[in-house]
Amino acid sequence: MNQITRLKLKTVLYLVIAALIGGVIGIGTFTFGYANGASYLKADSKSCANCHVMQGHFDAWVKSSHGKFASCNDCHAPHDNAVSAYYCKARNGFFHSLAFTTGDFEENLRITDYNRGVTEQACRKCHADLVHQIDILAVGELNKDSSERLESNSCIRCHSTVGHDT
Amino acid sequence: MKKQTGQITLSTLLLIVILSAGICFAMVALLTNIFERKQEGRSTIMRVVEIDDDTSDPAVWGKNFPLQYDDYLKTADMIQTTYGGSEAIPHVPTDEDPRDIVSRSKLELIPQLKRMWAGYAFSKDYREKRGHAYMLTDQLYTERQKVGQPGTCIHCHGSTYVAMKELGNGDILAGFEKLNTMPYSEAKEHIKHPVACIDCHDPDTMALRITRPAFMEGIAAYKATQGIKDYDVNRDASRQEMRSFVCGQCHVEYYFKGDQKRLTYPWSEGLTVDAAYEHFEKEEFKDWVHAETGAPMLKAQHPEFELWSQGIHARAGVSCADCHMAYKRVGAMKISDHHIRSPLLNVNASCGTCHKTSDQELIARTENIQTRHRKLVEVALDALMDLIDDINKAKKNGVSEDKIKEAQQWQRKATFYVDYVEAENSSGFHAGQEAARILAESIDFSRKGQKALR
């Protein structure tokens, strides 16, 4: 193979690669936009109902006791620092997308243990004054990560419907 | 090709091409999926055919409601649960019975039943219940047909609404009376389908409605016991009541009244087993005479509606459809699952709506109730066998006629009570404590029967 053909071949390949990479970026950008990707980086509760699977929860939340005061994120994302908040959003975002894409989920959704822990702590953020005393009475030791506290003195075991009754 | 510094090899280039092509492929797939999901959130019903009040063929309705129709067809599935459902048994087709699959014989599973029904058609052939899809064939080919059955049976084993209208020239009550008096072989000629859409749905609005005269009369009689006069079920029932009433059109205790063989639900005194028995006593009704003892007997049949009405779920306002036709999501639509089946085969959607716990736990809770129930049924059946033995002995030993008559009355009552929950399709679950009470009473009646012979 002589020098010139080799150069031409390379040029063609580079062009193909450039086109493909451009394609990836283009299609990726469009998909991201079409799926309202940016809305998930914000905290607007409406974006949680982008997928119709959450419409019922959203409708119930609007009418609930917490509908005027707490957003989805207020109860379903951690409040300790930005890293764990975005970890939670990324983790749930990934698994929700996976379930919704494959259709592999049950009719009556059940909260996972990880997310129950997040919500349980979220109650304590706003209702600290009240809950502090209860926690001390019930558990004694106020250790934030104490699983004992979540199991033995859980808010949402009784107050399971304050956010949305589904 | 010789590698030179600053240059990429051909194979690396190819790798990049393949990789980015793969990424593009995956992204377009995701994009399409998102597009589909967004579309799902939109349209619902597409009417492609006209349906009117004479369209009995469910396949025609299925053209407008394909999701519901597909699920409806699934009632042909045969699945066993621990205490219910049905097991498919191969059957060699004969001229008399062309079925190649039947369900297991309950007479073999529970031998006491044969004796309990001695002299009655049920001692010849009694099998596990199968899904709605089989209601017509299983009725046609049961060996109980050999005894000759009235046309009344078709009231619930087929889609009779349009047939009743035609026979009665638009008046379903007149058509109903005509069907009742025909022999079964004649009545079945008027019926083409098992229970279908039109038996529960208004064809214009799809609202639930009652089409069975026997239920209209029965529920009116029951409401009268509560002081409600002239109850018209299609005018007065709430939507949530309808979600049980449409099932109660057939899943009830019934009898054929008088020479007219008029299908009647014994609810003039109430919905309990005691009320039904009282009704039969007032009517001086008997289904057959017991072959061994000569007692005037009653046959109870599938009173699911009545037993459910005595249970905690009915009290909480939970309807039949809530558990047996649980809501399901198809795209963004919420529809009732028309694959009517045991909730134990669909636990998350059925029970999980209210009971926030795992499927395994819910099945365990249910089977706890059913296991205890089965044990009690065994005890009650054994007690009844003892009573039958004692009556037979007493007859041989020349015990007085009066005592034997009294014992026969107790046999009649004990049988009706145990049969009431045995024929009922929930193995006690629909009302666990009520079922246990009924069985306790049955055991007591058998004991009292034995005592009467002393």
Side-chain angles (χ1 to χ4, degrees):
Chain A
M1 219 192 277
N2 64 27
Q3 205 68 21
I4 294 177
T5 12
R6 210 178 300 161
L7 270 175
K8 272 191 183 161
L9 193 66
K10 260 197 201 148
T11 315
V12 168
L13 272 173
Y14 281 132
L15 284 172
V16 166
I17 289 168
L20 279 171
I21 291 171
V24 168
I25 293 168
I27 294 172
T29 310
F30 178 79
T31 307
F32 188 77
Y34 182 72
N36 290 331
S39 68
Y40 297 112
L41 301 170
K42 301 201 267 305
D44 184 359
S45 295
K46 279 201 188 71
S47 54
C48 296
N50 281 352
C51 303
H52 52 69
V53 76
M54 285 291 161
Q55 195 59 49
H57 301 77
F58 183 85
D59 293 346
W61 164 77
V62 168
K63 296 180 179 69
S64 77
S65 64
H66 283 53
K68 292 184 184 64
F69 306 102
S71 70
C72 302
N73 276 351
D74 284 332
C75 301
H76 288 291
H79 297 281
D80 44 2
N81 59 55
V83 175
S84 66
Y86 275 91
Y87 166 73
C88 176
K89 281 164 80 93
R91 174 182 168 144
N92 285 319
F94 174 76
F95 284 115
H96 287 188
S97 307
L98 184 69
F100 200 50
T101 303
T102 57
D104 182 23
F105 59 94
E106 290 201 287
E107 177 58 38
N108 285 302
L109 303 172
R110 290 273 175 277
I111 196 163
T112 60
D113 288 344
Y114 164 76
N115 282 310
R116 186 164 346 103
V118 168
T119 301
E120 191 61 44
Q121 294 294 5
C123 304
R124 290 170 165 82
K125 178 181 174 279
C126 295
H127 300 285
D129 301 355
L130 182 72
V131 172
H132 189 76
Q133 293 300 327
I134 301 174
D135 268 340
I136 286 177
L137 283 170
V139 187
E141 183 59 43
L142 267 191
N143 170 6
K144 214 171 96 62
D145 301 319
S146 150
S147 58
E148 183 200 1
R149 179 173 130 189
L150 295 183
E151 288 312 313
S152 70
N153 199 24
S154 154
C155 309
I156 52 179
R157 215 175 128 187
C158 303
H159 301 280
S160 62
T161 59
V162 292
H164 47 82
D165 193 359
T166 43
Chain B
M1 188 172 157
K2 208 170 75 190
K3 201 178 166 187
Q4 292 165 3
T5 30
Q7 284 198 332
I8 308 173
T9 61
L10 195 60
S11 54
T12 314
L13 288 176
L14 274 173
L15 194 67
I16 295 172
V17 170
I18 290 164
L19 206 66
S20 54
I23 294 171
C24 268
F25 183 92
M27 244 169 350
V28 174
L30 179 67
L31 180 64
T32 317
N33 184 278
I34 294 169
F35 174 75
E36 283 171 0
R37 292 282 179 273
K38 284 198 176 201
Q39 292 309 305
E40 278 175 357
R42 294 184 183 177
S43 112
T44 48
I45 291 158
M46 177 78 79
R47 278 187 180 259
V48 292
V49 289
E50 279 303 317
I51 297 168
D52 63 25
D53 207 37
D54 297 313
T55 316
S56 66
D57 187 352
V60 177
W61 290 60
K63 290 193 169 84
N64 287 353
F65 300 96
L67 301 170
Q68 285 86 350
Y69 182 61
D70 283 354
D71 287 338
Y72 161 87
L73 293 176
K74 288 183 198 154
T75 60
D77 288 358
M78 291 178 72
I79 306 170
Q80 193 88 44
T81 55
T82 306
Y83 293 106
S86 56
E87 186 83 40
I89 303 290
H91 176 265
V92 181
T94 60
D95 290 347
E96 277 182 349
D97 184 355
R99 294 177 295 180
D100 51 6
I101 298 267
V102 294
S103 61
R104 291 189 299 179
S105 167
K106 276 201 152 177
L107 298 172
E108 284 159 31
L109 298 170
I110 312 171
Q112 296 101 318
L113 296 179
K114 240 187 156 78
R115 237 183 131 197
M116 178 164 98
W117 295 322
Y120 199 48
F122 274 86
S123 64
K124 301 266 184 295
D125 187 14
Y126 178 59
R127 298 182 176 277
E128 292 171 324
K129 323 285 194 297
R130 301 202 283 176
H132 277 185
Y134 300 102
M135 63 171 60
L136 204 49
T137 41
D138 281 0
Q139 164 89 44
L140 276 175
Y141 301 120
T142 172
E143 291 188 36
R144 296 200 293 274
Q145 287 288 9
K146 288 181 183 163
V147 197
Q149 294 193 319
T152 323
C153 299
I154 208 84
H155 179 273
C156 275
H157 280 271
S159 182
T160 51
Y161 174 68
V162 176
M164 286 189 298
K165 260 194 354 181
E166 283 169 1
L167 286 165
N169 296 322
D171 176 3
I172 57 168
L173 204 61
F176 164 70
E177 282 160 2
K178 271 192 182 159
L179 269 184
N180 285 338
T181 49
M182 288 177 192
Y184 185 83
S185 53
E186 188 188 331
K188 76 170 201 281
E189 296 306 318
H190 296 275
I191 309 299
K192 292 184 201 66
H193 308 283
V195 76
C197 320
I198 198 158
D199 294 292
C200 302
H201 288 285
D202 180 305
D204 296 327
T205 62
M206 294 303 138
L208 293 174
R209 66 168 182 187
I210 300 297
T211 55
R212 295 299 192 272
F215 184 83
M216 296 173 193
E217 292 173 355
I219 200 74
Y222 168 64
K223 292 281 183 181
T225 66
Q226 299 183 310
I228 302 167
K229 293 223 167 19
D230 304 322
Y231 184 82
D232 175 347
V233 65
N234 282 322
R235 184 193 62 205
D236 301 335
S238 70
R239 181 177 169 275
Q240 185 64 1
E241 277 183 314
M242 275 295 195
R243 288 165 56 77
S244 295
F245 284 179
V246 288
C247 311
Q249 296 184 95
C250 293
H251 287 259
V252 294
E253 160 63 1
Y254 64 86
Y255 72 114
F256 304 158
K257 191 175 177 170
D259 298 338
Q260 298 294 310
K261 294 283 181 197
R262 188 185 188 84
L263 181 68
T264 309
Y265 301 164
W267 298 345
S268 65
E269 312 295 324
L271 282 181
T272 59
V273 63
D274 320 87
Y277 189 76
E278 198 180 325
H279 177 98
F280 287 131
E281 287 295 277
K282 278 190 180 159
E283 293 273 313
E284 293 179 0
F285 181 80
K286 66 172 187 286
D287 278 298
W288 90 101
V289 171
H290 198 268
E292 286 186 41
T293 66
M297 301 300 290
L298 292 170
K299 174 79 189 83
Q301 17 240 341
H302 50 71
E304 282 90 42
F305 177 74
E306 294 94 322
L307 194 65
W308 158 85
S309 71
Q310 303 306 306
I312 191 71
H313 285 94
R315 191 152 185 105
V318 180
S319 71
C320 307
D322 285 322
C323 306
H324 291 278
M325 302 177 71
Y327 287 119
K328 64 187 267 195
R329 197 188 301 272
V330 182
M333 264 196 295
K334 193 175 101 166
I335 63 168
S336 281
D337 189 342
H338 280 61
H339 180 192
I340 298 162
R341 62 194 184 279
S342 165
L344 291 172
L345 303 171
N346 191 24
V347 176
N348 173 279
S350 290
C351 321
T353 306
C354 303
H355 298 282
K356 308 286 184 198
T357 183
S358 72
D359 289 12
Q360 294 80 353
E361 166 62 15
L362 291 161
I363 290 172
R365 285 181 198 177
T366 308
E367 290 184 349
N368 240 338
I369 295 168
Q370 293 179 322
T371 305
R372 290 165 182 159
H373 174 81
R374 289 294 345 157
K375 178 84 188 76
L376 274 174
V377 169
E378 279 296 312
V379 175
L381 285 173
D382 287 339
L384 182 64
M385 296 304 112
D386 290 348
L387 173 60
I388 294 173
D389 285 340
D390 281 10
I391 298 178
N392 290 342
K393 248 187 269 166
K395 281 182 145 178
K396 272 204 196 87
N397 300 341
V399 172
S400 78
E401 201 59 42
D402 288 353
K403 285 183 175 179
I404 287 180
K405 240 195 165 59
E406 196 189 334
Q408 284 172 339
Q409 272 300 315
W410 287 119
Q411 184 198 343
R412 163 183 163 99
K413 199 170 183 181
T415 301
F416 183 70
Y417 273 56
V418 66
D419 200 9
Y420 195 88
V421 291
E422 170 52 38
E424 203 274 344
N425 271 304
S426 70
S427 300
F429 180 80
H430 283 150
Q433 284 199 303
E434 173 70 352
R437 176 194 72 88
I438 292 169
L439 288 166
E441 301 248 27
S442 175
I443 296 164
D444 188 47
F445 299 148
S446 293
R447 181 187 68 84
K448 282 178 170 148
Q450 288 173 294
K451 217 170 121 190
L453 293 166
R454 282 182 195 165

